[in-house]
Amino acid sequence: MALKHKTRNIGLTVMLTGTFISSLSISLLSSALPSIMREFSVSATIGQWLSTVYILVLGIVTATSAFLINRFNSKHLFVSGMLLFLAGCTISIFAPNFTVLILSRVIQACGAGILMPVTQVVILKTYPVSQHGKAMGIIGLVIGVAPAVGPTLSGLIVDMSGWKSIFYLLAAISVIVVILSVILLTGIDGKRGGSIEMTSLVLYGIGFCSLMIGVTNRERYGWTSLSTLGPLAAGIVCLYLFAVRQFRVPLPLLQLRILKDRGFAVSSILIMITYISMMSGTMRVPIYIQSVRGLSALTSGTLLLPGSALLVVFNPITGYLYDRFGARLISIFGMIFLGAGSGAFALAGIETPLLIITAMYAMRMVGIAFLLMPLSAYGLRNLNGEQMAHGNAIVNSLRQMAGALGSSILVAFMGAASATEAVTDIHGINVSFAIEAGLVMLGLLITLIFIRNERQIA
């Protein structure tokens, strides 16, 4: 076990705190973007890369986590990840221009890409299999909740003391976590040597970056432009070559053969659908409240707060329910709630009462709480030690990439359906949420067909 029984709770709290702030950083700049754009004189398309590049690098580094976890001591990895994240925050504070600020986000994401999977593997190895639902519920408080509360928290911080105060706060917490980690954590030693499969890593990184560039270019050049289709085609080809290579090399970057386990494959697909809904919702609902309804950022954050709070409350509850009843029933319940919340936004108007909007968003968050971590526990339940590291790497990486790409695509549909792409209107909001609701209904169908009503085996 990574942590002795007497210090387990304290040690896990330290690891979860570090992972929480790195996850929080995914969406923490959403309300700060206007201020940053004005200070560095960049457009919205360029400014958005502060979040996009973070998610991209996070997904790429997460893909290497299986190799890192199987080779190095988990304590050393965690401390190294925290130091990288701290370095990135420090550079952000003193960034003289936008290019350096982007670089600082890359460094932060490199640290976060190590922290998330290491913490997840340590917790799963600390708890017995019969309590993996509880363990994943705890992890869900970090990985699932942090990006959801980011916009609300950042709005409050930016209004009070400016965007740099975000990085002062993250840096201060990072210093405390590093000190406590050195003192309290013991760690699991990696058991394998070898080297990382660099060709696979390059193909993986270029593939996802190209897809993101293609989706981003659509806003400026349209879907039929070579500037859009070229990167999209390059991304698809690179990811195809990456997938083929994982079955041919002796030590793959990601053991994609794990996807032959039906439970793992199905849960991975459903987690991607869930994360697309969650990440895109944190972007589009504030746009609806602020741009379409003309309300303030503070009002937007206040309306989203109850949903974020329910996500916090229900994550440990759904972990207990998974341990007690299995994945099928709670996954069905989660998909129904998420689909109903998305469908409600597809029917919302500019006069819909704000209390109803809050309830609709809260319904979505409850559905996500019933899906994200229980599905992760379900998918990983049959994997052994080394496979668990690869399984975590696959799920975490795919989740981040799906969230980034899916959000961009849904935002693109939102803009295309609006009267003018420069100004989002209610029709664009309705169309994008209708598409999302259809995607969630597909997830419900997959759940009904493939998720079996089984209980965890101790």
Side-chain angles (χ1 to χ4, degrees):
M1 295 174 65
L3 303 170
K4 295 180 180 179
H5 180 71
K6 292 182 180 180
T7 60
R8 184 184 74 176
N9 292 338
I10 297 176
L12 290 182
T13 299
V14 171
M15 297 186 75
L16 288 169
T17 300
T19 305
F20 179 82
I21 61 173
S22 66
S23 300
L24 190 65
S25 190
I26 293 174
S27 60
L28 203 54
L29 290 186
S30 59
S31 296
L33 279 180
S35 299
I36 295 174
M37 288 158 51
R38 286 193 299 269
E39 180 169 334
F40 294 112
S41 299
V42 297
S43 66
T45 301
I46 300 299
Q48 190 177 3
W49 273 92
L50 285 173
S51 297
T52 301
V53 75
Y54 189 95
I55 297 175
L56 279 174
V57 175
L58 186 64
I60 293 169
V61 175
T62 300
T64 70
S65 63
F67 162 77
L68 296 174
I69 291 170
N70 286 326
R71 180 168 183 178
F72 299 105
N73 180 278
S74 60
K75 174 181 177 177
H76 298 161
L77 283 176
F78 184 83
V79 173
S80 298
M82 283 305 310
L83 289 173
L84 278 172
F85 185 77
L86 173 60
C89 292
T90 304
I91 296 173
S92 294
I93 293 171
F94 299 102
N97 54 55
F98 189 78
T99 301
V100 175
L101 189 58
I102 284 285
L103 176 63
S104 72
R105 293 289 285 170
V106 170
I107 297 173
Q108 290 171 42
C110 287
I114 297 173
L115 295 174
M116 294 180 187
V118 169
T119 301
Q120 195 165 344
V121 168
V122 167
I123 290 179
L124 287 175
K125 289 187 176 181
T126 299
Y127 284 87
V129 174
S130 59
Q131 297 182 25
H132 273 190
K134 175 182 178 181
M136 296 305 290
I138 295 173
I139 297 169
L141 291 174
V142 174
I143 297 177
V145 172
V149 303
T152 300
L153 182 59
S154 66
L156 297 174
I157 295 175
V158 172
D159 284 346
M160 289 189 297
S161 52
W163 67 267
K164 287 190 177 182
S165 59
I166 292 175
F167 295 107
Y168 277 112
L169 176 63
L170 294 177
I173 298 175
S174 297
V175 170
I176 296 173
V177 171
V178 168
I179 294 172
L180 293 178
S181 299
V182 172
I183 296 173
L184 295 174
L185 301 186
T186 55
I188 303 172
D189 288 325
K191 298 180 180 180
R192 292 190 57 179
S195 59
I196 196 166
E197 225 289 305
M198 287 303 302
T199 301
S200 296
L201 182 60
V202 170
L203 288 171
Y204 191 77
I206 293 177
F208 275 113
C209 286
S210 297
L211 288 179
M212 183 60 71
I213 290 172
V215 172
T216 302
N217 284 350
R218 181 224 62 87
E219 180 181 355
R220 182 175 181 181
Y221 301 107
W223 284 115
T224 59
S225 170
L226 185 61
S227 297
T228 300
L229 296 178
L232 290 176
I236 293 172
V237 170
C238 285
L239 290 178
Y240 171 77
L241 294 175
F242 165 80
V244 171
R245 187 172 179 82
Q246 301 318 291
F247 291 94
R248 294 182 177 177
V249 295
L251 294 175
L253 181 68
L254 293 175
Q255 289 186 6
L256 295 185
R257 58 177 53 89
I258 296 175
L259 290 169
K260 293 181 179 179
D261 181 289
R262 189 179 72 169
F264 180 77
V266 170
S267 67
S268 297
I269 294 171
L270 295 177
I271 288 170
M272 290 168 67
I273 292 174
T274 303
Y275 211 70
I276 289 171
S277 298
M278 185 179 79
M279 293 306 298
S280 64
T282 61
M283 296 173 59
R284 288 175 295 140
V285 175
I287 289 174
Y288 164 74
I289 295 172
Q290 296 178 48
S291 298
V292 177
R293 301 289 294 264
L295 302 174
S296 67
L298 181 60
T299 300
S300 175
T302 303
L303 292 176
L304 301 185
L305 190 58
S308 300
L310 286 175
L311 191 62
V312 174
V313 171
F314 274 98
N315 257 297
I317 295 176
T318 58
Y320 166 79
L321 293 175
Y322 170 76
D323 287 334
R324 181 69 176 84
F325 300 107
R328 180 177 172 84
L329 292 179
I330 58 177
S331 296
I332 293 173
F333 183 86
M335 286 294 177
I336 290 174
F337 259 61
L338 180 55
S342 300
F345 274 102
L347 300 174
I350 57 176
E351 300 295 334
T352 302
L354 296 181
L355 185 61
I356 300 298
I357 298 300
T358 300
M360 290 157 51
Y361 187 77
M363 182 181 296
R364 285 169 47 84
M365 291 296 103
V366 171
I368 289 169
F370 273 77
L371 292 168
L372 207 53
M373 290 302 108
L375 284 171
S376 295
Y378 176 80
L380 297 172
R381 72 197 189 287
N382 292 327
L383 305 185
N384 59 34
E386 181 184 342
Q387 288 180 330
M388 186 178 293
H390 278 271
N392 269 292
I394 292 170
V395 170
N396 287 326
S397 187
L398 289 179
R399 183 181 68 233
Q400 300 297 340
M401 295 303 186
L405 289 171
S407 297
S408 296
I409 292 171
L410 286 174
V411 169
F413 277 115
M414 181 179 68
S418 299
T420 59
E421 291 202 29
V423 180
T424 301
D425 59 26
I426 188 62
H427 182 65
I429 292 289
N430 293 153
V431 169
S432 67
F433 274 104
I435 294 172
E436 180 192 312
L439 182 63
V440 175
M441 289 300 99
L442 175 62
L444 176 60
L445 182 61
I446 293 173
T447 301
L448 291 170
I449 295 174
F450 294 107
I451 299 292
R452 296 179 179 178
N453 191 16
E454 58 186 46
R455 293 175 56 179
Q456 284 290 93
I457 300 174

